[in-house]
Amino acid sequence: MKTFKKDFLWGGAIAANQAEGAYLEDGKGINVTDVSRGLVYEPDEKVIDGKFYPTHEAIDFYHTYKEDLKLMSGMGFNCFRTSISWARIFPHGDENEPNEAGLKFYDDLFNEMNELGMEPIVTISHYETPLHLYDEYGGWENRKLIEFFTRYCKVIFQRYKDQVRYWMTFNEINNVHTIPFAAGAIKPEKTDHSMQCRFQAAHNMFVASSKANKLCHEIIPEAKIGCMLSLSGIYPHTCKPEDVLGAYQLRRRSLFFSDVMMRGYYPSYANRWFEEHHVHLDIQPGDLEIIKEYPSDYLGFSYYRTTTYKDGMPILGHTGGLIGEKNPYLKETPWGWQIDPIGFRYVLNELYDRYQKPLFVVENGMGNVDVLEGDQIHDNYRIDYLRSHIQQMKEAVADGVDLMGYTYWGPIDIVSAGTGEMKKRYGFIYVDRDNDGKGTGKRYKKDSYEWYKKVIESNGEEL
Ligand code: BGP
């Protein structure tokens, strides 16, 4: 049967650092995204000198969330994904006591969601490591962060146990390899050569995630807590065996993270990487046991595009976005992201076959240069992208994939992570705000707003 289950979770996803703004309000501390543009570290002197910084104000969701959530519920969302900004709860990350004003904000936010019939889907850290943990401890390479993260998790699980049933630990944890500063709070000067720091940071995050899984099930027995990876697809550029093998190995660089977190142990193929890259992990007694005993309940992931691997491209060690040669059979977005709905079906099958545990598409969407014409935005390109991807998602469900839900990335225009700009817009809702923070901040429904509303009303039938 090509239909989504009746309790399928339909909604949208944002991240605190890309939407809330109010980056110093109510006692919030600075996190690594507050001093990075496009997820790349920009030292304080460059950022704090009054230079406008999109994420410092973003779309002011911190103050407009009631209006914005009302617009989301107008499309029939039964869930909504966002992150808790860690530095609102522990401004420096290593305090013993949390910041009550930060806790209160998310109390109000989750209450508003629940009152509107939207399940909160909460990312515990969406690239939002408190900067102090980077400055003072060197980020996730230091296992002290396991203790600080666990303390943070315990506080939010206890505080929101009656409001939140769906959690995930680290956004796109596999990006510790490609954007190590944002994803692992790893010092830029350390990532040019060393794989040691990336795999050590990954190990500490695996242990932290497993401890969070344990705590979550103890404090909120009915909750589901997942891991989350960036898993757009990778193809061989040609049938040349070196391209095929390379694509397989590059895919493994990402699947390594879900292998550990979903299966509960280090895969044997990692041993060769560790030998070849002189990686000697600091694994403490109990680490491997907790990883094994408390794996993730589901695999959340982002899918946007596919790219291709061509013989000679690096597998490990390169920093930067998903590399790859253009696929001559695919069109692309204005940012060169190749549009591949069949690839979406392929990846859904690939991941379900690998783990045989529930999947959750927590990011999928199209960034584009939307134009406000009067009070209208005609974004048929976005409707076409979504229609084709939801069609293929339905095919994957018919293939037997156990899919929990779909939260479209960026249901309202927010600051793009990779570009640090407003210009790359994803929303069904347009926000009149430009890269320099100018504009009325007014919200406008795009053509895709009513279209997605019908999709949800028909549980994915009316496309
Ligand atoms: C993912 C991030 C999101 C979001 C998305 C779109 O990697 O988890 O934060 O930003 O990418 O990317 P961008 O905003 O760069 O278009």
Side-chain angles (χ1 to χ4, degrees):
M1 278 284 280
K2 281 190 204 172
T3 54
F4 297 109
K5 54 188 182 180
K6 65 177 179 31
D7 59 351
F8 193 74
L9 291 166
W10 286 104
I14 62 172
N17 76 85
Q18 294 172 254
E20 289 178 1
Y23 88 113
L24 290 177
E25 200 148 327
D26 293 337
K28 174 178 170 294
I30 295 272
N31 69 46
V32 296
T33 56
D34 293 326
V35 287
S36 62
R37 191 179 297 280
L39 300 173
V40 175
Y41 180 44
E42 257 193 18
D44 281 11
E45 60 279 2
K46 269 196 197 171
V47 175
I48 309 286
D49 68 1
K51 186 173 162 191
F52 175 72
Y53 202 83
T55 59
H56 287 182
E57 294 158 31
I59 61 165
D60 197 27
F61 184 73
Y62 190 78
H63 299 108
T64 65
Y65 71 87
K66 289 190 176 174
E67 169 201 357
D68 293 334
L69 289 175
K70 204 158 178 56
L71 282 168
M72 310 290 174
S73 77
M75 287 184 272
F77 284 20
N78 59 24
C79 73
F80 186 75
R81 175 189 176 214
T82 190
S83 61
I84 294 176
S85 189
W86 186 350
R88 288 199 193 283
I89 314 301
F90 287 96
H92 293 92
D94 61 359
E95 294 92 342
N96 288 315
E97 295 307 318
N99 170 32
E100 176 53 31
L103 288 168
K104 174 81 173 58
F105 168 67
Y106 291 105
D107 260 336
D108 297 342
L109 180 67
F110 299 148
N111 281 339
E112 195 69 22
M113 289 186 200
N114 282 310
E115 276 165 27
L116 290 167
M118 286 189 264
E119 286 276 1
I121 314 285
V122 177
T123 312
I124 298 171
S125 182
H126 196 120
Y127 297 146
E128 295 157 349
T129 307
L131 186 66
H132 177 69
L133 299 184
Y134 164 88
D135 288 330
E136 183 69 23
Y137 301 90
W140 275 102
E141 205 187 341
N142 185 334
R143 71 177 287 126
K144 280 289 283 179
L145 269 70
I146 298 171
E147 174 195 337
F148 301 139
F149 184 77
T150 311
R151 181 184 305 160
Y152 164 49
C153 290
K154 191 169 184 181
V155 164
I156 58 177
F157 292 153
Q158 285 169 337
R159 180 73 173 233
Y160 307 122
K161 64 180 185 294
D162 300 325
Q163 295 164 291
V164 182
R165 296 190 301 156
Y166 294 93
W167 299 85
M168 65 196 88
T169 47
F170 297 102
N171 181 68
E172 300 191 328
I173 187 172
N174 53 312
N175 279 339
V176 157
H177 273 286
T178 49
I179 40 173
F181 174 69
I186 296 169
K187 304 245 178 207
E189 65 278 6
K190 296 203 71 171
T191 56
D192 295 348
H193 50 276
S194 152
M195 298 310 292
Q196 174 66 31
C197 59
R198 295 186 211 191
F199 280 110
Q200 187 61 60
H203 176 75
N204 295 337
M205 293 170 86
F206 294 149
V207 175
S209 270
S210 301
K211 285 175 179 277
N213 298 345
K214 177 176 186 290
L215 272 174
C216 187
H217 292 143
E218 288 167 353
I219 298 169
I220 321 175
E222 73 281 10
K224 294 270 179 267
I225 183 164
C227 58
M228 196 279 183
L229 279 76
S230 166
L231 288 172
S232 286
I234 296 171
Y235 299 154
H237 190 60
T238 69
C239 53
K240 181 181 167 195
E242 290 82 352
D243 287 358
V244 176
L245 178 62
Y248 187 88
Q249 291 174 322
L250 182 59
R251 190 59 167 173
R252 258 183 174 169
R253 193 197 68 196
S254 284
L255 295 178
F256 162 74
F257 290 81
S258 38
D259 283 352
V260 175
M261 300 172 85
M262 295 290 286
R263 293 170 168 173
Y265 57 87
Y266 274 84
S268 54
Y269 59 79
N271 297 328
R272 181 167 180 168
W273 287 344
F274 295 164
E275 277 157 37
E276 288 178 351
H277 293 274
H278 315 296
V279 173
H280 304 286
L281 288 182
D282 167 20
I283 297 177
Q284 293 294 312
D287 285 0
L288 299 182
E289 290 74 12
I290 194 152
I291 286 171
K292 185 160 186 61
E293 199 173 342
Y294 297 96
S296 301
D297 297 328
Y298 68 87
L299 171 58
F301 68 101
S302 60
Y303 176 93
Y304 290 95
R305 54 184 167 156
T306 55
T307 186
T308 75
Y309 176 86
K310 194 171 180 181
D311 185 23
M313 290 192 326
I315 304 282
L316 284 176
H318 86 280
T319 306
L322 190 60
I323 54 171
E325 291 288 316
K326 291 290 182 199
N327 182 329
Y329 300 96
L330 299 176
K331 296 192 180 73
E332 60 187 46
T333 72
W335 277 268
W337 288 20
Q338 293 208 283
I339 300 166
D340 187 358
I342 291 175
F344 194 23
R345 177 182 178 185
Y346 173 90
V347 165
L348 281 158
N349 277 279
E350 172 200 34
L351 298 176
Y352 190 64
D353 284 353
R354 194 173 183 102
Y355 302 115
Q356 292 292 293
K357 286 170 87 172
L359 305 181
F360 196 159
V361 178
V362 294
E363 288 182 30
N364 171 247
M366 176 193 243
N368 219 306
V369 185
D370 298 336
V371 177
L372 180 61
E373 299 168 82
D375 63 355
Q376 302 195 328
I377 300 94
H378 303 301
D379 58 341
N380 288 332
Y381 40 79
R382 180 164 292 111
I383 294 172
D384 293 343
Y385 178 99
L386 263 164
R387 176 183 296 114
S388 59
H389 282 75
I390 294 173
Q391 279 166 341
Q392 291 302 324
M393 195 162 68
K394 214 189 288 184
E395 292 292 343
V397 169
D399 295 336
V401 171
D402 177 0
L403 188 59
M404 294 166 63
Y406 175 86
T407 52
Y408 172 84
W409 177 261
I412 184 168
D413 291 350
I414 52 179
V415 181
S416 155
T419 64
E421 296 185 326
M422 278 301 295
K423 187 177 167 210
K424 189 176 184 186
R425 297 173 182 276
Y426 280 86
F428 303 118
I429 300 155
Y430 183 94
V431 177
D432 179 17
R433 196 167 175 70
D434 66 15
N435 285 351
D436 302 318
K438 294 193 185 60
T440 63
K442 198 166 174 311
R443 274 72 168 145
Y444 298 87
K445 295 176 182 177
K446 302 178 191 176
D447 292 355
S448 54
Y449 182 97
E450 291 301 332
W451 180 84
Y452 192 52
K453 178 177 177 181
K454 290 198 182 74
V455 171
I456 296 177
E457 272 169 358
S458 64
N459 196 28
E461 291 310 304
E462 200 175 317
L463 296 176

